Amino acid sequence: MVNVIFCAHGQFACAVLDSVRMVYGEVNATAVEFVPGENAGDITAKLEKLVSAHNEQEWLIAVDLQCGSPWNAAAALAMHNPRMRVISGLSLPLALEVVDNQDALNVDALCEHLTAIASQCCVVWQQPETIEEDL
């Protein structure tokens, strides 16, 4: 079982978790907000509080942006916890994949799976060009 935390700017992480719950019901995931007036240290403290009770377990923190404050805070924690991974690109498709696979895969296999399917999460629909029929 991989423990999961969604962490993002504003209320995005909570909104993603709410949307995941619409699809799956209750899930084993937590959300951490990064609100105006906070800095990476504040996020680190929130994350440490969640992780400290289960520090020996595997963790995946999914953040919205690479190199943003949530990323920096999570990466700072992961530097001291070899069982923790951080992945950027938090979206509803990624979050659904995380909770759908967190029981079946270890943290490294889960990260590998997520990066493999990432390009499938962004699809462009375009109306096909019409072909004129011969009259």
Side-chain angles (χ1 to χ4, degrees), residues 36-48:
E38 291 184 329
N39 59 39
D42 297 315
I43 302 168
T44 301
K46 291 178 187 181
L47 295 172
E48 280 180 327

Side-chain angles (χ1 to χ4, degrees), residues 51-81:
V51 173
S52 65
H54 306 285
N55 200 32
E56 305 305 315
Q57 297 178 2
E58 292 187 317
W59 288 90
L60 177 61
I61 302 175
V63 302
D64 51 356
L65 298 171
Q66 181 184 7
C67 297
S69 294
W71 169 275
N72 294 338
L77 276 181
M79 281 189 231
H80 302 289
N81 186 338

Side-chain angles (χ1 to χ4, degrees), residues 1-4 57-61 78 81-87 97-98 101-117:
M1 158 73 73
V2 177
N3 296 289
V4 174
Q57 297 178 2
E58 292 187 317
W59 288 90
L60 177 61
I61 302 175
N81 186 338
R83 300 177 60 83
M84 182 180 291
R85 304 293 180 270
V86 182
I87 191 167
E97 285 292 329
V98 167
N101 291 285
Q102 75 185 114
D103 290 334
L105 302 174
N106 69 33
V107 70
D108 289 324
L110 182 56
C111 288
E112 187 175 317
H113 171 70
L114 294 171
T115 55
I117 63 101

